[in-house]
Amino acid sequence: MLNKFQSVISKIVLICVAIFTSMVFVQMAIYFGKSYLTYEPVFNVLVLICAIILVLLAALVLIRISDDDPIKNRLVLLSLLAIFAIAAIIWIKLVPQTQVSDFKAFWDNAPRALSGKQIYQMDNDYFAKWAYQTGFLVYVMTVVKIFGHHIIAIQLLNVLYQVLILLVMYQLVVKIFNNIKMARLSVLLLMIDLDWFALNSQTNNQYLGMLLFLVTFYLIILNKYWSFALAGLTLGLGSIIRPIGPVIIAGIIVFGIMYLFISNNHLHLDAIWKLLITLAIYFVIFSGAGMAIKSSGLNSYGLSNRDSEWKFVIGLDYNSRGVYDQAMVDRFDLKDTRATMSKKEYSVIHENINYLNSNHKWLSLLWSKNSTLWAQNSTAMDFTGFEKIHSAKTTSLMRMAAYMGTVILIIFSWVGSLRLFKQRFSNNFYLLLLPLMAYAVVQLLIEVQGRYRLEFIPVIAILGSVGLYSTVKFLSQKWRGNNSHNV
């Protein structure tokens, strides 16, 4: 009975994942048609075809390399990681060192905070409204304290985290699918996605946060009391660095109940204790960090979110399709107190909701936001300033190359999501899929930007590795079959 219940839940999750990837695939096709087929369609189609062929050939090489020898497996993995590291460092040299947007706020405030200056002047400033960002600021301050105010230190650390993300993702695929060749393909798909790694030049909290969350997943999959304790630590640190912890926690809780508490047609109470250990340590770490920041005088608001309304002000704005819009910002006086601005924000949220209800625009808004977040160009290139030191033609080609990585991920993750219905894999995969689905749903209501998907691109890459592996095996069988028939 329990197994049947678990099987039904699993099927529902897989159906949701398939619907999600199918929708993203369709939205990608629409966006590609509008953005790349309205000018030079032949050239752009040829670029896409060549990109897919190159990826298939690279995948074929990685699959053909035997996985029987552990030493050979390590050499293949290290080669991939080394190639990526070199490319990532070269990328850093191709973009300006200037920090922009939120990244600039972290970088500029770190030395000021170290010298004892206030990081905000009024209760409606950046670090006062979104005090939770102080966690990453402390990290930046630590880097500056050790290496000096030299952006290259942050950038090289970002490359290190990206390499470690590839490594942890590789290990996750091996654990879930018991397939080293598929693990190689997941690394391949992620390392060629410039949209994913382009922001290593910025003071960006997404890479370190991403790494800590992936390590958390890996530790939980080990399913030991000590690994659950360490998972609480990495989950706490990840949430301090990148404030999407509640989404990760929601996925972990559902996974713990559905796949650890219920296992082999029996209930396992020890799974609940392990889960509680993780959550307790997370709470101690996160709360302790907040109190430490308060007591240090760095931020009297700790790690709180004092302006959660703003994400809904933007996210439910039909005119901007849920994307940051200066016209909306201009409706507010940013010099107002937090209490005054909060009232105004609630008023605008109700105004947005009334508009969506009266004009029946909910479906249109949600469709557009999902496309912006998952199917379109991530706009990561726009935050690097690449266009400031390169020609318009070079910038256009680089943006297209970046988007090709995203397109390839979308295509093969869609194939992979369909293949999961027949593919054998460990239930541990649901530990990655559940937070992905939770994140996709939450983002439908709040502000979206293409770069907000970065944390979950490794999960998409794992799905993509399933699709790429299946596609290469299918094409190989067809090729061998045709050759045999001709002979």
Side-chain angles (χ1 to χ4, degrees):
M1 185 66 181
L2 290 174
N3 277 352
K4 289 183 179 179
F5 173 69
Q6 188 182 69
S7 178
V8 170
I9 297 299
S10 298
K11 284 290 190 295
I12 291 174
V13 173
L14 293 183
I15 289 171
C16 289
V17 172
I19 292 173
F20 168 70
T21 57
S22 298
M23 184 164 59
V24 172
F25 177 82
V26 171
Q27 291 174 326
M28 178 274 293
I30 294 172
Y31 177 77
F32 185 83
K34 290 181 178 179
S35 301
Y36 294 97
L37 299 186
T38 53
Y39 71 98
E40 297 184 336
V42 175
F43 172 76
N44 290 328
V45 168
L46 285 175
V47 169
L48 175 59
I49 293 173
C50 289
I52 293 174
I53 291 174
L54 287 174
V55 170
L56 288 173
L57 290 175
L60 179 61
V61 171
L62 291 174
I63 289 175
R64 286 287 180 88
I65 298 174
S66 171
D67 60 356
D68 296 330
D69 185 356
I71 295 177
K72 184 184 292 184
N73 292 334
R74 293 191 191 101
L75 286 174
V76 172
L77 176 59
L78 289 175
S79 298
L80 290 172
L81 297 181
I83 292 170
F84 170 79
I86 293 170
I89 292 172
I90 291 173
W91 171 253
I92 289 173
K93 306 305 293 183
L94 292 177
V95 297
Q97 304 301 292
T98 308
Q99 302 297 288
V100 301
S101 188
D102 293 9
F103 314 126
K104 180 179 176 63
F106 290 121
W107 186 242
D108 288 351
N109 275 281
R112 296 179 68 253
L114 284 170
S115 63
K117 295 179 181 178
Q118 292 291 323
I119 59 175
Y120 57 86
Q121 303 302 318
M122 54 182 291
D123 74 344
N124 204 31
D125 287 345
Y126 182 88
F127 285 105
K129 289 189 295 185
W130 298 299
Y132 56 76
Q133 297 285 32
T134 312
F136 184 64
L137 178 63
V138 171
Y139 162 79
V140 179
M141 291 167 61
T142 303
V143 174
V144 171
K145 183 72 173 178
I146 296 172
F147 300 104
H149 198 231
H150 308 295
I151 193 62
I152 190 64
I154 289 286
Q155 293 172 332
L156 292 179
L157 284 171
N158 281 342
V159 173
L160 174 62
Y161 303 145
Q162 290 170 333
V163 170
L164 292 175
I165 286 167
L166 294 172
L167 177 60
V168 175
M169 184 181 65
Y170 178 94
Q171 295 297 335
L172 283 169
V173 175
V174 172
K175 281 285 185 183
I176 293 168
F177 295 97
N178 192 30
N179 190 323
I180 290 174
K181 294 181 179 180
M182 194 180 292
R184 295 171 184 167
L185 299 188
S186 69
V187 173
L188 172 68
L189 286 173
L190 190 57
M191 66 183 280
I192 64 172
D193 186 11
L194 178 56
D195 260 355
W196 171 72
F197 73 81
L199 286 174
N200 60 13
S201 65
Q202 296 291 310
T203 311
N204 187 2
N205 59 355
Q206 291 177 280
Y207 298 116
L208 179 54
M210 189 189 317
L211 173 62
L212 289 166
F213 291 134
L214 287 176
V215 171
T216 299
F217 294 148
Y218 183 79
L219 289 168
I220 289 176
I221 285 175
L222 294 179
N223 199 16
K224 306 289 184 181
Y225 275 101
W226 64 266
S227 65
F228 271 83
L230 286 178
L233 173 62
T234 55
L235 178 60
L237 293 175
S239 300
I240 292 168
I241 295 296
R242 178 66 175 160
I244 60 169
V247 174
I248 306 296
I249 291 170
I252 290 173
I253 290 174
V254 174
F255 171 78
I257 294 172
M258 294 308 309
Y259 297 100
L260 296 180
F261 180 55
I262 301 174
S263 180
N264 297 323
N265 211 30
H266 289 87
L267 299 178
H268 297 265
L269 290 176
D270 64 318
I272 300 299
W273 289 114
K274 291 173 182 175
L275 191 60
L276 289 175
I277 288 172
T278 297
L279 296 177
I281 293 176
Y282 157 81
F283 179 78
V284 170
I285 295 293
F286 192 81
S287 300
M291 289 187 288
I293 287 172
K294 276 186 180 180
S295 62
S296 70
L298 180 60
N299 194 324
S300 60
Y301 303 110
L303 292 173
S304 61
N305 181 2
R306 301 178 58 251
D307 193 11
S308 56
E309 303 93 343
W310 182 253
K311 287 291 185 180
F312 295 95
V313 168
I314 299 295
L316 298 177
D317 179 22
Y318 184 78
N319 292 324
S320 70
R321 299 297 193 274
V323 179
Y324 180 87
D325 181 30
Q326 190 60 42
M328 177 62 77
V329 176
D330 292 341
R331 294 181 60 181
F332 296 84
D333 185 352
L334 300 182
K335 295 182 179 179
D336 281 339
T337 63
R338 177 91 291 276
T340 301
M341 190 166 175
S342 181
K343 291 179 182 178
K344 175 69 172 177
E345 287 173 341
Y346 273 112
S347 174
V348 173
I349 290 172
H350 287 298
E351 178 185 315
N352 289 339
I353 292 174
N354 289 336
Y355 177 84
L356 292 169
N357 288 336
S358 60
N359 293 278
H360 308 290
K361 294 293 187 179
W362 278 102
L363 188 59
S364 175
L365 175 64
L366 300 183
W367 174 268
S368 179
K369 291 179 67 176
N370 194 76
S371 178
T372 297
L373 181 60
W374 300 105
Q376 299 179 19
N377 191 302
S378 73
T379 69
M381 288 279 291
D382 297 336
F383 288 91
T384 65
F386 183 88
E387 74 284 353
K388 294 180 180 179
I389 60 174
H390 296 279
S391 68
K393 184 176 182 180
T394 301
T395 300
S396 178
L397 290 173
M398 193 61 75
R399 281 179 174 159
M400 185 174 188
Y403 188 55
M404 285 303 100
T406 296
V407 170
I408 288 169
L409 266 180
I410 291 172
I411 292 172
F412 289 113
S413 64
W414 172 61
V415 175
S417 69
L418 300 179
R419 180 62 185 166
L420 286 180
F421 289 97
K422 294 185 177 181
Q423 177 84 30
R424 295 185 62 182
F425 59 91
S426 164
N427 283 338
N428 290 322
F429 197 20
Y430 294 106
L431 178 59
L432 279 66
L433 296 178
L434 288 167
L436 170 64
M437 291 295 94
Y439 189 74
V441 171
V442 168
Q443 289 292 323
L444 292 176
L445 299 177
I446 63 177
E447 177 193 354
V448 294
Q449 290 188 39
R451 65 186 177 92
Y452 289 170
R453 67 175 177 248
L454 296 189
E455 283 87 355
F456 286 93
I457 292 300
V459 179
I460 302 295
I462 292 175
L463 266 176
S465 70
V466 178
L468 182 55
Y469 184 80
S470 301
T471 301
V472 173
K473 297 293 282 186
F474 173 79
L475 293 175
S476 297
Q477 290 171 0
K478 286 292 183 181
W479 176 264
R480 287 196 297 268
N482 289 338
N483 284 350
S484 298
H485 180 72
N486 291 336
V487 172

